[in-house]
Amino acid sequence: MAEISESAVRRVLETVIDPTTGKSVIAAGMVSGIATRAGHVAITLDVDPARGATLEPLRQACEQAVRAMPEVLSATAVMTAERAAPPPPPTPRGGHGHSHDHGPRPGGSAGGQPGAKTTGGNSRIDVPGVKHIIAVASGKGGVGKSTTAVNLALGLAANGVATGLLDADIYGPSMPRMLGVKEKPESADGKMLKPIERHGLRTMSIGYIVAEDTPMIWRGPMVSSALEQMLRDVQWGELDVLVVDMPPGTGDAQLTLAQRVPLSGAVIVSTPQDIALIDARKGLAMFRKVAVPVLGIVENMSYFLCPKCGERSEIFGHGGAREEADKLGVPFLGEIPLHLDIRTTSDNGTPIVASQPDSAHAKAYKNIAGRVWKQLSAPQRGGRPAPKIVMS
Ligand code: ADP
């Protein structure tokens, strides 16, 4: 199938007129993002929050117009009101008045994921009780994204932060293997699933429900609804941070997730080679496009640490991610060596931060977790930080 071009979508949106101003959504500068992938189109409309719900028919008109294009399989338009949104008020957390006495709290705000972002329709996926949702992403597969996600989550927990881990990599769920989970999640009421607890983390993965070796073909809308269910229909309870292991790459599943989930930020995992090949930059660009702050870059397989003699070899030209992070103006969170222990522990269900908490590798992950938490809990960041819109 021929890929749908952004300019073709733009041309169609030029025919969608906002009756209040008489201008097309393009002419009015409302369209802040268009992403297309294998027949699926995602459009971001940046709107005046004062007009809010009155713009719902216009949002639907955009979807309908794009859906009518011959090669389009699905079209989703999301309204965001980022530019003029005031900082989130320090509202008390909803729920049961339960408080964790074991962990640091984000300074200055007890707010949940209060919305600087408002979306149209029922687009936004809220997870009540969860203060911060962060995405762990990579430009492509095989760079150690899942290994980093699980050890980062364990590192947060080790820092006293109440943490959950959602394996959103529905194309290749790895949490059953990495956490050694064989049982199926239970449900007390037949509606909500109980997360599976491992090493002090509340976890959920599509791999707990569907066998890991079952080939699955997911189309855009199915991806969204699977992810939505894993966020909404799981009893996450009260969490400081929910770490989401994203599907690799920067396609429509990732974009939808980044748009619909109120993410406090994203961590990009990259290898030294990958940084050179700009895959990681694509990940960065995607989050910037949807105004999700990038908390920083982790360089994985940064250098080779010989398990026998401890000698360090910089086989991939280590250090590229730090330079790249500087160049792109995002924090560098740390480097993790290529080491056999990291692979064997994560492949047999005992990730290194849980099984060898005092090892140098575990400390490296904990330091990264500390840097992430520091950013999330900074006083100016109550819940979702003030986003910056970057026009693409
Ligand atoms: P991704 O999620 O990016 O596809 P994974 O986390 O599944 O990647 O990692 C791919 C493979 O590389 C796994 O077998 C994992 O154990 C291994 N791996 C990841 N990071 C490291 C590391 N720092 N040192 C050694 N092996 C690693």
Side-chain angles (χ1 to χ4, degrees):
M1 189 198 306
E3 191 50 90
I4 299 150
S5 74
E6 194 184 311
S7 54
V9 175
R10 202 165 274 277
R11 276 197 298 280
V12 166
L13 291 175
E14 270 164 8
T15 66
V16 180
I17 308 294
D18 175 358
T20 312
T21 61
K23 283 189 196 164
S24 83
V25 289
I26 294 283
M30 287 167 95
V31 178
S32 61
I34 296 173
T36 68
R37 172 87 170 202
H40 303 285
V41 181
I43 305 144
T44 314
L45 298 173
D46 203 3
V47 302
D48 174 358
R51 294 181 66 196
T54 62
L55 289 166
E56 176 58 16
L58 190 63
R59 186 191 70 78
Q60 288 181 12
C62 291
E63 284 187 350
Q64 270 160 20
V66 175
R67 226 173 263 149
M69 292 169 71
E71 273 149 353
V72 169
L73 297 175
S74 77
T76 314
V78 178
M79 291 197 283
T80 76
E82 315 236 52
R83 273 190 296 222
T91 48
R93 295 176 82 176
H96 345 289
H98 169 86
S99 75
H100 306 279
D101 54 9
H102 59 282
R105 314 234 53 105
S109 165
Q113 294 264 330
K117 182 168 189 154
T118 53
T119 52
N122 58 358
S123 287
R124 179 170 144 153
I125 306 172
D126 276 313
V127 192
V130 177
K131 283 188 156 189
H132 295 283
I133 306 178
I134 61 169
V136 178
S138 63
K140 62 170 188 189
V143 302
K145 171 184 53 60
S146 300
T147 307
T148 308
V150 74
N151 282 301
L152 168 65
L154 289 165
L156 285 164
N159 279 304
V161 177
T163 307
L165 177 63
L166 169 63
D167 181 4
D169 188 350
I170 58 162
Y171 300 103
S174 40
M175 289 317 152
R177 171 174 50 91
M178 292 200 175
L179 296 169
V181 172
K182 299 214 166 54
E183 69 264 36
K184 299 247 174 286
E186 292 172 359
S187 174
D189 59 1
K191 290 189 200 123
M192 298 287 282
L193 286 179
K194 279 203 246 162
I196 292 186
E197 298 245 3
R198 272 297 181 283
H199 312 299
L201 300 176
R202 279 174 230 160
T203 75
M204 183 52 66
S205 165
I206 198 91
Y208 296 170
I209 302 159
V210 186
E212 225 180 325
D213 52 4
T214 307
M216 278 183 283
I217 300 162
W218 296 88
R219 289 179 38 163
M222 287 163 67
V223 172
S224 293
S225 76
L227 293 177
E228 186 163 346
Q229 281 179 32
M230 287 198 293
L231 282 161
R232 272 209 185 126
D233 302 343
V234 171
Q235 284 166 330
W236 291 109
E238 305 266 317
L239 287 177
D240 292 317
V241 181
L242 178 62
V243 176
V244 180
D245 181 14
M246 297 274 281
T250 49
D252 60 331
Q254 294 78 354
L255 188 68
T256 308
L257 195 99
Q259 281 180 321
R260 297 190 55 203
V261 178
L263 293 172
S264 292
V267 171
I268 311 270
V269 181
S270 165
T271 61
Q273 314 91 298
D274 164 48
I275 259 299
L277 294 171
I278 71 154
D279 276 316
R281 277 188 230 169
K282 281 196 226 150
L284 213 81
M286 177 181 80
F287 287 110
R288 287 200 159 160
K289 202 164 170 177
V290 293
V292 171
V294 174
L295 300 170
I297 298 180
V298 174
E299 185 171 271
N300 189 36
M301 309 191 197
S302 182
Y303 51 89
F304 175 69
L305 208 52
C306 175
K308 291 216 178 83
C309 67
E311 195 198 341
R312 175 176 166 139
S313 324
E314 308 204 332
I315 44 182
F316 301 123
H318 134 267
R322 185 188 288 275
E323 280 165 30
E324 195 66 25
D326 281 352
K327 231 187 269 166
L328 296 165
V330 297
F332 179 69
L333 295 172
E335 55 196 27
I336 302 292
L338 177 66
H339 195 279
L340 193 61
D341 287 351
I342 297 177
R343 194 189 68 70
T344 50
T345 50
S346 74
D347 287 352
N348 70 16
T350 54
I352 200 148
V353 173
S355 57
Q356 300 173 26
D358 298 322
S359 65
H361 305 317
K363 282 188 190 135
Y365 283 117
K366 286 186 208 170
N367 285 339
I368 290 171
R371 286 182 197 117
V372 166
W373 179 249
K374 199 168 160 199
Q375 290 190 60
L376 292 175
S377 56
Q380 70 272 24
R381 284 188 173 240
R384 190 185 166 98
K388 282 194 216 99
I389 283 279
V390 179
M391 294 298 200
S392 55

